[in-house]
Amino acid sequence: MEVSVRESSLGRHKDEAVVLFQLAGTPIRKSVGSAGAQFRAGYDTLVRRGAFTGAAGQVRTLTGKRDDRVPTLVLAGLGRQGDQSRNTVRDAAAAAVRAARDHGASSVTFVLPEGRGAALSATRAAEAIADGAVAGLYRFEIYKSEKSKSAVETLTILAGSGEGKRVQRAANEGAILGECVCVARTLGNEPGNTATPTFLAEQAQALGDEHGFATHVLEEDEMRDLGMGSLLGVSAGSVEPAKLIAMTYEPKRARSKDTVAIVGKGLTFDTGGISIKPANKMEDMKFDMCGGAAVIGTMTAVARLGIGTRVVGLVPASENMPDAAAYKPGDILRAMNGKTIEVRNTDAEGRLILADALAYATTKMRPRPRAIVDLATLTGACVVALGDQNAALISNNEPLADQLLDASSSSGDALWRMPINDGYRKQLDSPYADLSNLGTPGAGTLTAAAFLENFVGKVPWAHLDIAGMAWTSKTAGTFTKGATGFGVRVMTRFLQHWKRG
Ligand code: BES
Ligand code: MN
Ligand code: ZN
């Protein structure tokens, strides 16, 4: 989406719909008046009745006449500003642009947040607005015979005189980020009968060709030669061939010599395998490749933004199916790093496909990655622990965890750190093999992380369990119903600011 920036104050041009932001308890009477005298009374009434206070998430629409200079005015609340202001602006812009679309607007103009509490620079606000608006407008309609009629085609941000260029650059970056979040969403929303491992590999290839990263796909023969018995074990029951998708972004002007690897679970449909899942909500397991989708979306973002660090993205992609050829409880698999794994539950498959991808990243890749971050819809236990508010962050390295938490706080992708220690590691002991793929009851998210740790050697590593964040049943803020694209924003910001710990 093109986002244009206009150095102009409000009310000078014809604008089909204008969005004004309001901080909690800080009325914006003057701006409302500049949008058009016809809005004054309506605004005053909303404020008097307490129907618009500027609380975060609040959106109200005032309509004038069709030939007014501004026919539709959208008021969006920002709450109280503080550390999280980029996130509230992003969410408010998303909700506001949807309200404008519902009122039939095809073009929407944003006024940057104003007033004393505006803790945000014009550029940061513009980036958040463009990102939020693009992501907020997302709809997945590929399979609908009748598409929605309403559509917003142009976004404009009003800037102060002299700052247009800088604000334009920031808005472009925000729009790119929003579009890459949507790339991940579409991969996630595609059903399992379309989004196979082969499809994911083709999509990665096409995105790399278009935006500037190289894609190499390892086929099952190559995986066998490399000894990836863990990934191949999971895929054994599927007629769809597994793929290990390896993407490389080379910066044109490197800011650092380091390579950072990001690894995403690309389980294109998780039936549970022989340890089969119950039927209720099993359809949601088409989203079990959302970690992989976030990695592909992030590769697209870093290439389009031209960041200064070399990034390798790895997506182990497979189905998990019950079948005569499927792996079974009790089977012992051997991963690429030689470790043997007793399969006690074929539904704990995510860690098995990640094991070989992580071992590949730490032992085969040249140059060696300085850090590895994996993203996975790994455990139902994470949904129990953190719900739909945070993804879990588990790491063996303090500086890496800190950088991820920093990137998280301003990106809107919320992370909450959880522990890893010998107590959890011991729960994976097996009488028959080096490791069991199942922990003893309790803390399933942490024993899953402790399992993955066996495959990263001494490389600084962090694991993000995004099981509660990867998809949603309701549209709110920048999230739209279905896959959320969670992870693209935090990983992109993390990689933009990467420094060796
Ligand atoms: N993909 C699931 C985890 C999941 C479940 C994500 C529900 C989001 C919502 C994963 O492969 C899985 O099945 N995990 C098992 C692990 C268990 C067998 C140790 C789980 O969480 O039940
Ligand atoms: Mn599973
Ligand atoms: Zn799974």
mmCIF file of all heavy atoms in Angstrom, residues 15-20 22 28-29 31-33 35-49 51-52 59-66 68-76 96 99-100 103-105:
data_model
loop_
_atom_site.group_PDB
_atom_site.id
_atom_site.type_symbol
_atom_site.label_atom_id
_atom_site.label_comp_id
_atom_site.label_asym_id
_atom_site.label_seq_id
_atom_site.Cartn_x
_atom_site.Cartn_y
_atom_site.Cartn_z
ATOM 1 N N ASP A 15 -10.656 15.731 2.161
ATOM 2 C CA ASP A 15 -10.223 14.415 2.640
ATOM 3 C C ASP A 15 -11.471 13.613 2.964
ATOM 4 O O ASP A 15 -12.291 14.032 3.773
ATOM 5 C CB ASP A 15 -9.352 14.561 3.892
ATOM 6 C CG ASP A 15 -7.949 15.037 3.578
ATOM 7 O OD1 ASP A 15 -7.232 14.294 2.876
ATOM 8 O OD2 ASP A 15 -7.584 16.142 4.011
ATOM 9 N N GLU A 16 -11.585 12.462 2.339
ATOM 10 C CA GLU A 16 -12.817 11.666 2.461
ATOM 11 C C GLU A 16 -13.099 11.243 3.898
ATOM 12 O O GLU A 16 -14.238 11.244 4.355
ATOM 13 C CB GLU A 16 -12.648 10.426 1.575
ATOM 14 C CG GLU A 16 -13.938 9.847 1.077
ATOM 15 C CD GLU A 16 -13.691 8.562 0.314
ATOM 16 O OE1 GLU A 16 -12.561 8.333 -0.178
ATOM 17 O OE2 GLU A 16 -14.636 7.773 0.234
ATOM 18 N N ALA A 17 -12.032 10.840 4.603
ATOM 19 C CA ALA A 17 -12.171 10.486 6.021
ATOM 20 C C ALA A 17 -10.905 10.919 6.725
ATOM 21 O O ALA A 17 -9.807 10.711 6.209
ATOM 22 C CB ALA A 17 -12.376 8.985 6.183
ATOM 23 N N VAL A 18 -11.069 11.551 7.884
ATOM 24 C CA VAL A 18 -9.910 12.009 8.657
ATOM 25 C C VAL A 18 -9.927 11.314 10.010
ATOM 26 O O VAL A 18 -10.981 11.172 10.636
ATOM 27 C CB VAL A 18 -9.936 13.548 8.836
ATOM 28 C CG1 VAL A 18 -8.956 13.994 9.915
ATOM 29 C CG2 VAL A 18 -9.627 14.234 7.503
ATOM 30 N N VAL A 19 -8.753 10.856 10.444
ATOM 31 C CA VAL A 19 -8.619 10.236 11.768
ATOM 32 C C VAL A 19 -7.890 11.202 12.695
ATOM 33 O O VAL A 19 -6.811 11.693 12.364
ATOM 34 C CB VAL A 19 -7.830 8.905 11.693
ATOM 35 C CG1 VAL A 19 -7.631 8.322 13.090
ATOM 36 C CG2 VAL A 19 -8.529 7.912 10.775
ATOM 37 N N LEU A 20 -8.503 11.476 13.842
ATOM 38 C CA LEU A 20 -7.856 12.272 14.892
ATOM 39 C C LEU A 20 -7.642 11.390 16.113
ATOM 40 O O LEU A 20 -8.537 10.670 16.534
ATOM 41 C CB LEU A 20 -8.751 13.452 15.290
ATOM 42 C CG LEU A 20 -8.966 14.563 14.255
ATOM 43 C CD1 LEU A 20 -9.932 15.608 14.835
ATOM 44 C CD2 LEU A 20 -7.641 15.216 13.884
ATOM 45 N N GLN A 22 -6.842 10.979 20.196
ATOM 46 C CA GLN A 22 -6.990 11.745 21.443
ATOM 47 C C GLN A 22 -6.418 10.958 22.616
ATOM 48 O O GLN A 22 -6.724 9.783 22.809
ATOM 49 C CB GLN A 22 -8.470 12.061 21.713
ATOM 50 C CG GLN A 22 -8.685 12.782 23.050
ATOM 51 C CD GLN A 22 -10.108 13.264 23.258
ATOM 52 O OE1 GLN A 22 -10.702 13.867 22.369
ATOM 53 N NE2 GLN A 22 -10.658 12.984 24.429
ATOM 54 N N ILE A 28 -9.715 17.393 22.179
ATOM 55 C CA ILE A 28 -9.084 17.924 20.963
ATOM 56 C C ILE A 28 -10.078 18.796 20.189
ATOM 57 O O ILE A 28 -10.173 18.693 18.972
ATOM 58 C CB ILE A 28 -8.560 16.761 20.085
ATOM 59 C CG1 ILE A 28 -9.648 15.665 19.938
ATOM 60 C CG2 ILE A 28 -7.304 16.136 20.669
ATOM 61 C CD1 ILE A 28 -9.352 14.650 18.846
ATOM 62 N N ARG A 29 -10.792 19.664 20.925
ATOM 63 C CA ARG A 29 -11.844 20.492 20.331
ATOM 64 C C ARG A 29 -11.367 21.279 19.116
ATOM 65 O O ARG A 29 -12.055 21.383 18.114
ATOM 66 C CB ARG A 29 -12.363 21.503 21.370
ATOM 67 C CG ARG A 29 -13.421 20.965 22.274
ATOM 68 C CD ARG A 29 -14.253 22.108 22.854
ATOM 69 N NE ARG A 29 -15.463 22.348 22.078
ATOM 70 C CZ ARG A 29 -15.888 23.550 21.732
ATOM 71 N NH1 ARG A 29 -15.202 24.617 22.046
ATOM 72 N NH2 ARG A 29 -17.001 23.684 21.063
ATOM 73 N N SER A 31 -8.839 20.745 17.004
ATOM 74 C CA SER A 31 -8.617 19.936 15.799
ATOM 75 C C SER A 31 -9.932 19.506 15.177
ATOM 76 O O SER A 31 -10.077 19.494 13.952
ATOM 77 C CB SER A 31 -7.795 18.689 16.136
ATOM 78 O OG SER A 31 -6.590 19.065 16.728
ATOM 79 N N VAL A 32 -10.875 19.151 16.028
ATOM 80 C CA VAL A 32 -12.187 18.746 15.520
ATOM 81 C C VAL A 32 -12.793 19.908 14.726
ATOM 82 O O VAL A 32 -13.313 19.731 13.614
ATOM 83 C CB VAL A 32 -13.122 18.310 16.673
ATOM 84 C CG1 VAL A 32 -14.560 18.137 16.182
ATOM 85 C CG2 VAL A 32 -12.618 17.012 17.298
ATOM 86 N N GLY A 33 -12.649 21.124 15.268
ATOM 87 C CA GLY A 33 -13.145 22.310 14.575
ATOM 88 C C GLY A 33 -12.456 22.532 13.240
ATOM 89 O O GLY A 33 -13.092 22.915 12.253
ATOM 90 N N ALA A 35 -11.312 20.279 11.315
ATOM 91 C CA ALA A 35 -11.820 19.286 10.355
ATOM 92 C C ALA A 35 -13.141 19.763 9.756
ATOM 93 O O ALA A 35 -13.471 19.430 8.617
ATOM 94 C CB ALA A 35 -12.012 17.936 11.037
ATOM 95 N N GLY A 36 -13.877 20.544 10.507
ATOM 96 C CA GLY A 36 -15.134 21.075 9.983
ATOM 97 C C GLY A 36 -16.033 21.501 11.131
ATOM 98 O O GLY A 36 -16.183 20.761 12.111
ATOM 99 N N ALA A 37 -16.621 22.697 11.012
ATOM 100 C CA ALA A 37 -17.475 23.220 12.089
ATOM 101 C C ALA A 37 -18.652 22.293 12.353
ATOM 102 O O ALA A 37 -19.174 22.243 13.471
ATOM 103 C CB ALA A 37 -17.964 24.617 11.718
ATOM 104 N N GLN A 38 -19.030 21.507 11.330
ATOM 105 C CA GLN A 38 -20.198 20.622 11.472
ATOM 106 C C GLN A 38 -19.973 19.520 12.504
ATOM 107 O O GLN A 38 -20.930 18.881 12.946
ATOM 108 C CB GLN A 38 -20.588 20.016 10.107
ATOM 109 C CG GLN A 38 -19.680 18.921 9.561
ATOM 110 C CD GLN A 38 -18.478 19.480 8.789
ATOM 111 O OE1 GLN A 38 -18.068 20.630 8.973
ATOM 112 N NE2 GLN A 38 -17.906 18.654 7.918
ATOM 113 N N PHE A 39 -18.694 19.268 12.867
ATOM 114 C CA PHE A 39 -18.416 18.185 13.824
ATOM 115 C C PHE A 39 -18.426 18.648 15.284
ATOM 116 O O PHE A 39 -18.399 17.834 16.186
ATOM 117 C CB PHE A 39 -17.059 17.533 13.522
ATOM 118 C CG PHE A 39 -17.001 16.852 12.184
ATOM 119 C CD1 PHE A 39 -16.055 17.214 11.232
ATOM 120 C CD2 PHE A 39 -17.897 15.832 11.874
ATOM 121 C CE1 PHE A 39 -15.995 16.589 10.000
ATOM 122 C CE2 PHE A 39 -17.841 15.196 10.644
ATOM 123 C CZ PHE A 39 -16.899 15.577 9.703
ATOM 124 N N ARG A 40 -18.415 19.986 15.486
ATOM 125 C CA ARG A 40 -18.232 20.509 16.850
ATOM 126 C C ARG A 40 -19.289 19.991 17.818
ATOM 127 O O ARG A 40 -18.960 19.467 18.883
ATOM 128 C CB ARG A 40 -18.263 22.036 16.841
ATOM 129 C CG ARG A 40 -16.972 22.641 16.362
ATOM 130 C CD ARG A 40 -16.737 24.001 17.028
ATOM 131 N NE ARG A 40 -15.461 24.519 16.576
ATOM 132 C CZ ARG A 40 -15.325 25.422 15.593
ATOM 133 N NH1 ARG A 40 -16.399 25.931 15.000
ATOM 134 N NH2 ARG A 40 -14.126 25.822 15.225
ATOM 135 N N ALA A 41 -20.534 20.132 17.414
ATOM 136 C CA ALA A 41 -21.623 19.769 18.330
ATOM 137 C C ALA A 41 -21.600 18.276 18.647
ATOM 138 O O ALA A 41 -21.739 17.871 19.806
ATOM 139 C CB ALA A 41 -22.966 20.162 17.717
ATOM 140 N N GLY A 42 -21.400 17.473 17.616
ATOM 141 C CA GLY A 42 -21.375 16.019 17.810
ATOM 142 C C GLY A 42 -20.245 15.612 18.746
ATOM 143 O O GLY A 42 -20.426 14.771 19.636
ATOM 144 N N TYR A 43 -19.088 16.219 18.554
ATOM 145 C CA TYR A 43 -17.938 15.918 19.419
ATOM 146 C C TYR A 43 -18.228 16.311 20.856
ATOM 147 O O TYR A 43 -18.018 15.524 21.789
ATOM 148 C CB TYR A 43 -16.692 16.632 18.909
ATOM 149 C CG TYR A 43 -15.482 16.439 19.802
ATOM 150 C CD1 TYR A 43 -14.782 15.233 19.795
ATOM 151 C CD2 TYR A 43 -15.049 17.454 20.666
ATOM 152 C CE1 TYR A 43 -13.685 15.043 20.625
ATOM 153 C CE2 TYR A 43 -13.954 17.268 21.493
ATOM 154 C CZ TYR A 43 -13.273 16.060 21.468
ATOM 155 O OH TYR A 43 -12.195 15.867 22.287
ATOM 156 N N ASP A 44 -18.751 17.532 21.044
ATOM 157 C CA ASP A 44 -19.044 17.997 22.404
ATOM 158 C C ASP A 44 -20.019 17.056 23.107
ATOM 159 O O ASP A 44 -19.863 16.748 24.291
ATOM 160 C CB ASP A 44 -19.604 19.421 22.371
ATOM 161 C CG ASP A 44 -18.507 20.442 22.046
ATOM 162 O OD1 ASP A 44 -17.314 20.067 22.150
ATOM 163 O OD2 ASP A 44 -18.839 21.587 21.677
ATOM 164 N N THR A 45 -21.010 16.585 22.365
ATOM 165 C CA THR A 45 -21.980 15.668 22.957
ATOM 166 C C THR A 45 -21.316 14.367 23.397
ATOM 167 O O THR A 45 -21.555 13.877 24.504
ATOM 168 C CB THR A 45 -23.110 15.361 21.947
ATOM 169 O OG1 THR A 45 -23.591 16.600 21.431
ATOM 170 C CG2 THR A 45 -24.250 14.601 22.604
ATOM 171 N N LEU A 46 -20.476 13.814 22.521
ATOM 172 C CA LEU A 46 -19.768 12.561 22.878
ATOM 173 C C LEU A 46 -18.946 12.753 24.149
ATOM 174 O O LEU A 46 -18.952 11.909 25.042
ATOM 175 C CB LEU A 46 -18.825 12.130 21.745
ATOM 176 C CG LEU A 46 -19.427 11.506 20.494
ATOM 177 C CD1 LEU A 46 -18.336 11.258 19.461
ATOM 178 C CD2 LEU A 46 -20.125 10.187 20.838
ATOM 179 N N VAL A 47 -18.241 13.869 24.236
ATOM 180 C CA VAL A 47 -17.381 14.124 25.393
ATOM 181 C C VAL A 47 -18.241 14.327 26.648
ATOM 182 O O VAL A 47 -17.958 13.758 27.699
ATOM 183 C CB VAL A 47 -16.461 15.337 25.141
ATOM 184 C CG1 VAL A 47 -15.717 15.742 26.420
ATOM 185 C CG2 VAL A 47 -15.469 15.017 24.029
ATOM 186 N N ARG A 48 -19.327 15.129 26.506
ATOM 187 C CA ARG A 48 -20.186 15.426 27.657
ATOM 188 C C ARG A 48 -20.798 14.141 28.215
ATOM 189 O O ARG A 48 -20.852 13.921 29.413
ATOM 190 C CB ARG A 48 -21.278 16.425 27.253
ATOM 191 C CG ARG A 48 -22.064 16.992 28.431
ATOM 192 C CD ARG A 48 -22.835 18.291 28.098
ATOM 193 N NE ARG A 48 -22.891 18.659 26.700
ATOM 194 C CZ ARG A 48 -23.818 18.239 25.821
ATOM 195 N NH1 ARG A 48 -24.772 17.456 26.188
ATOM 196 N NH2 ARG A 48 -23.787 18.639 24.562
ATOM 197 N N ARG A 49 -21.201 13.252 27.325
ATOM 198 C CA ARG A 49 -21.832 12.005 27.782
ATOM 199 C C ARG A 49 -20.823 10.952 28.231
ATOM 200 O O ARG A 49 -21.197 9.838 28.612
ATOM 201 C CB ARG A 49 -22.657 11.388 26.656
ATOM 202 C CG ARG A 49 -23.892 12.198 26.327
ATOM 203 C CD ARG A 49 -24.727 11.443 25.318
ATOM 204 N NE ARG A 49 -25.886 12.222 24.938
ATOM 205 C CZ ARG A 49 -26.495 12.106 23.763
ATOM 206 N NH1 ARG A 49 -26.038 11.239 22.873
ATOM 207 N NH2 ARG A 49 -27.543 12.825 23.485
ATOM 208 N N ALA A 51 -19.000 9.382 26.213
ATOM 209 C CA ALA A 51 -18.986 8.339 25.184
ATOM 210 C C ALA A 51 -17.669 8.326 24.420
ATOM 211 O O ALA A 51 -17.351 7.374 23.716
ATOM 212 C CB ALA A 51 -20.142 8.552 24.210
ATOM 213 N N PHE A 52 -16.904 9.389 24.556
ATOM 214 C CA PHE A 52 -15.540 9.379 23.999
ATOM 215 C C PHE A 52 -14.614 10.086 24.967
ATOM 216 O O PHE A 52 -14.686 11.298 25.165
ATOM 217 C CB PHE A 52 -15.475 10.050 22.618
ATOM 218 C CG PHE A 52 -14.101 9.951 22.017
ATOM 219 C CD1 PHE A 52 -13.586 8.715 21.611
ATOM 220 C CD2 PHE A 52 -13.294 11.072 21.879
ATOM 221 C CE1 PHE A 52 -12.305 8.603 21.086
ATOM 222 C CE2 PHE A 52 -11.998 10.964 21.345
ATOM 223 C CZ PHE A 52 -11.521 9.728 20.946
ATOM 224 N N VAL A 59 -13.114 3.950 19.565
ATOM 225 C CA VAL A 59 -13.225 4.568 18.243
ATOM 226 C C VAL A 59 -14.650 5.081 18.068
ATOM 227 O O VAL A 59 -15.604 4.350 18.349
ATOM 228 C CB VAL A 59 -12.902 3.552 17.112
ATOM 229 C CG1 VAL A 59 -13.167 4.168 15.742
ATOM 230 C CG2 VAL A 59 -11.460 3.088 17.200
ATOM 231 N N ARG A 60 -14.819 6.340 17.667
ATOM 232 C CA ARG A 60 -16.140 6.918 17.390
ATOM 233 C C ARG A 60 -16.088 7.590 16.029
ATOM 234 O O ARG A 60 -15.068 8.186 15.670
ATOM 235 C CB ARG A 60 -16.527 7.957 18.444
ATOM 236 C CG ARG A 60 -16.624 7.416 19.867
ATOM 237 C CD ARG A 60 -17.885 6.559 20.071
ATOM 238 N NE ARG A 60 -17.948 6.017 21.407
ATOM 239 C CZ ARG A 60 -17.486 4.811 21.765
ATOM 240 N NH1 ARG A 60 -16.944 4.006 20.869
ATOM 241 N NH2 ARG A 60 -17.570 4.418 23.018
ATOM 242 N N THR A 61 -17.199 7.515 15.303
ATOM 243 C CA THR A 61 -17.223 8.118 13.974
ATOM 244 C C THR A 61 -18.300 9.203 13.920
ATOM 245 O O THR A 61 -19.427 8.986 14.374
ATOM 246 C CB THR A 61 -17.508 7.039 12.919
ATOM 247 O OG1 THR A 61 -16.572 5.983 13.114
ATOM 248 C CG2 THR A 61 -17.341 7.583 11.520
ATOM 249 N N LEU A 62 -17.944 10.349 13.395
ATOM 250 C CA LEU A 62 -18.906 11.434 13.180
ATOM 251 C C LEU A 62 -19.024 11.638 11.675
ATOM 252 O O LEU A 62 -18.001 11.672 10.971
ATOM 253 C CB LEU A 62 -18.418 12.722 13.848
ATOM 254 C CG LEU A 62 -18.297 12.701 15.376
ATOM 255 C CD1 LEU A 62 -17.571 13.951 15.872
ATOM 256 C CD2 LEU A 62 -19.677 12.588 16.032
ATOM 257 N N THR A 63 -20.267 11.774 11.194
ATOM 258 C CA THR A 63 -20.412 11.955 9.747
ATOM 259 C C THR A 63 -21.048 13.303 9.434
ATOM 260 O O THR A 63 -21.985 13.741 10.116
ATOM 261 C CB THR A 63 -21.270 10.836 9.132
ATOM 262 O OG1 THR A 63 -22.398 10.620 9.978
ATOM 263 C CG2 THR A 63 -20.488 9.550 9.034
ATOM 264 N N GLY A 64 -20.506 13.954 8.424
ATOM 265 C CA GLY A 64 -21.064 15.213 7.925
ATOM 266 C C GLY A 64 -21.830 14.946 6.644
ATOM 267 O O GLY A 64 -22.409 13.860 6.485
ATOM 268 N N LYS A 65 -21.784 15.927 5.737
ATOM 269 C CA LYS A 65 -22.456 15.721 4.448
ATOM 270 C C LYS A 65 -21.432 15.315 3.404
ATOM 271 O O LYS A 65 -20.253 15.599 3.519
ATOM 272 C CB LYS A 65 -23.163 17.006 4.030
ATOM 273 C CG LYS A 65 -24.386 17.298 4.890
ATOM 274 C CD LYS A 65 -25.191 18.429 4.282
ATOM 275 C CE LYS A 65 -25.872 19.279 5.340
ATOM 276 N NZ LYS A 65 -24.924 19.965 6.253
ATOM 277 N N ARG A 66 -21.963 14.655 2.366
ATOM 278 C CA ARG A 66 -21.083 14.082 1.369
ATOM 279 C C ARG A 66 -20.178 15.112 0.680
ATOM 280 O O ARG A 66 -19.040 14.810 0.318
ATOM 281 C CB ARG A 66 -21.934 13.366 0.316
ATOM 282 C CG ARG A 66 -21.186 12.231 -0.343
ATOM 283 C CD ARG A 66 -21.721 12.022 -1.708
ATOM 284 N NE ARG A 66 -22.904 11.139 -1.659
ATOM 285 C CZ ARG A 66 -22.879 9.925 -2.168
ATOM 286 N NH1 ARG A 66 -21.790 9.453 -2.693
ATOM 287 N NH2 ARG A 66 -23.974 9.193 -2.169
ATOM 288 N N ASP A 68 -19.100 17.945 2.099
ATOM 289 C CA ASP A 68 -18.232 18.653 3.042
ATOM 290 C C ASP A 68 -16.768 18.421 2.661
ATOM 291 O O ASP A 68 -16.450 17.403 2.044
ATOM 292 C CB ASP A 68 -18.426 18.115 4.474
ATOM 293 C CG ASP A 68 -19.737 18.599 5.097
ATOM 294 O OD1 ASP A 68 -20.318 19.565 4.575
ATOM 295 O OD2 ASP A 68 -20.171 17.986 6.092
ATOM 296 N N ARG A 69 -15.904 19.349 3.109
ATOM 297 C CA ARG A 69 -14.473 19.135 2.837
ATOM 298 C C ARG A 69 -14.019 17.825 3.506
ATOM 299 O O ARG A 69 -13.241 17.065 2.956
ATOM 300 C CB ARG A 69 -13.655 20.315 3.359
ATOM 301 C CG ARG A 69 -12.245 20.255 2.891
ATOM 302 C CD ARG A 69 -11.688 21.570 2.454
ATOM 303 N NE ARG A 69 -11.984 22.614 3.435
ATOM 304 C CZ ARG A 69 -11.545 23.853 3.329
ATOM 305 N NH1 ARG A 69 -10.814 24.215 2.311
ATOM 306 N NH2 ARG A 69 -11.849 24.746 4.250
ATOM 307 N N VAL A 70 -14.500 17.558 4.710
ATOM 308 C CA VAL A 70 -14.237 16.275 5.387
ATOM 309 C C VAL A 70 -15.584 15.625 5.712
ATOM 310 O O VAL A 70 -16.235 16.022 6.669
ATOM 311 C CB VAL A 70 -13.424 16.477 6.684
ATOM 312 C CG1 VAL A 70 -13.230 15.141 7.415
ATOM 313 C CG2 VAL A 70 -12.069 17.112 6.394
ATOM 314 N N PRO A 71 -16.032 14.659 4.920
ATOM 315 C CA PRO A 71 -17.343 14.054 5.178
ATOM 316 C C PRO A 71 -17.373 13.114 6.391
ATOM 317 O O PRO A 71 -18.418 12.961 7.005
ATOM 318 C CB PRO A 71 -17.661 13.270 3.901
ATOM 319 C CG PRO A 71 -16.632 13.685 2.902
ATOM 320 C CD PRO A 71 -15.456 14.200 3.645
ATOM 321 N N THR A 72 -16.255 12.472 6.714
ATOM 322 C CA THR A 72 -16.246 11.517 7.833
ATOM 323 C C THR A 72 -15.072 11.816 8.764
ATOM 324 O O THR A 72 -13.931 11.964 8.304
ATOM 325 C CB THR A 72 -16.119 10.069 7.302
ATOM 326 O OG1 THR A 72 -17.219 9.814 6.424
ATOM 327 C CG2 THR A 72 -16.119 9.056 8.435
ATOM 328 N N LEU A 73 -15.379 11.900 10.059
ATOM 329 C CA LEU A 73 -14.323 12.124 11.044
ATOM 330 C C LEU A 73 -14.294 10.922 11.991
ATOM 331 O O LEU A 73 -15.311 10.569 12.588
ATOM 332 C CB LEU A 73 -14.605 13.409 11.826
ATOM 333 C CG LEU A 73 -13.524 13.840 12.817
ATOM 334 C CD1 LEU A 73 -12.228 14.197 12.087
ATOM 335 C CD2 LEU A 73 -13.993 15.038 13.644
ATOM 336 N N VAL A 74 -13.119 10.301 12.121
ATOM 337 C CA VAL A 74 -12.973 9.169 13.034
ATOM 338 C C VAL A 74 -12.125 9.614 14.214
ATOM 339 O O VAL A 74 -11.034 10.154 14.035
ATOM 340 C CB VAL A 74 -12.308 7.957 12.339
ATOM 341 C CG1 VAL A 74 -12.197 6.773 13.301
ATOM 342 C CG2 VAL A 74 -13.083 7.555 11.095
ATOM 343 N N LEU A 75 -12.655 9.399 15.424
ATOM 344 C CA LEU A 75 -11.924 9.741 16.643
ATOM 345 C C LEU A 75 -11.375 8.448 17.229
ATOM 346 O O LEU A 75 -12.113 7.472 17.372
ATOM 347 C CB LEU A 75 -12.877 10.397 17.644
ATOM 348 C CG LEU A 75 -13.650 11.615 17.118
ATOM 349 C CD1 LEU A 75 -14.813 11.944 18.049
ATOM 350 C CD2 LEU A 75 -12.715 12.814 16.971
ATOM 351 N N ALA A 76 -10.092 8.431 17.555
ATOM 352 C CA ALA A 76 -9.475 7.203 18.067
ATOM 353 C C ALA A 76 -8.749 7.503 19.371
ATOM 354 O O ALA A 76 -7.919 8.420 19.425
ATOM 355 C CB ALA A 76 -8.510 6.625 17.032
ATOM 356 N N ALA A 96 -9.173 2.520 13.709
ATOM 357 C CA ALA A 96 -9.746 3.710 13.075
ATOM 358 C C ALA A 96 -9.924 3.511 11.570
ATOM 359 O O ALA A 96 -10.945 3.885 10.997
ATOM 360 C CB ALA A 96 -8.847 4.918 13.346
ATOM 361 N N ALA A 99 -12.900 1.454 10.911
ATOM 362 C CA ALA A 99 -14.143 2.216 11.090
ATOM 363 C C ALA A 99 -14.409 3.071 9.857
ATOM 364 O O ALA A 99 -15.545 3.159 9.371
ATOM 365 C CB ALA A 99 -14.050 3.083 12.342
ATOM 366 N N ALA A 100 -13.348 3.693 9.322
ATOM 367 C CA ALA A 100 -13.503 4.522 8.117
ATOM 368 C C ALA A 100 -13.957 3.651 6.938
ATOM 369 O O ALA A 100 -14.830 4.038 6.156
ATOM 370 C CB ALA A 100 -12.181 5.217 7.792
ATOM 371 N N HIS A 103 -17.508 2.869 7.020
ATOM 372 C CA HIS A 103 -18.320 4.013 6.580
ATOM 373 C C HIS A 103 -18.163 4.279 5.089
ATOM 374 O O HIS A 103 -18.583 5.322 4.602
ATOM 375 C CB HIS A 103 -17.978 5.257 7.398
ATOM 376 C CG HIS A 103 -18.709 5.312 8.707
ATOM 377 N ND1 HIS A 103 -18.367 4.525 9.776
ATOM 378 C CD2 HIS A 103 -19.797 6.021 9.086
ATOM 379 C CE1 HIS A 103 -19.195 4.757 10.778
ATOM 380 N NE2 HIS A 103 -20.089 5.651 10.378
ATOM 381 N N GLY A 104 -17.503 3.384 4.396
ATOM 382 C CA GLY A 104 -17.430 3.474 2.934
ATOM 383 C C GLY A 104 -16.293 4.327 2.407
ATOM 384 O O GLY A 104 -16.220 4.567 1.199
ATOM 385 N N ALA A 105 -15.381 4.764 3.264
ATOM 386 C CA ALA A 105 -14.276 5.597 2.779
ATOM 387 C C ALA A 105 -13.289 4.767 1.968
ATOM 388 O O ALA A 105 -12.969 3.644 2.341
ATOM 389 C CB ALA A 105 -13.562 6.254 3.955
#
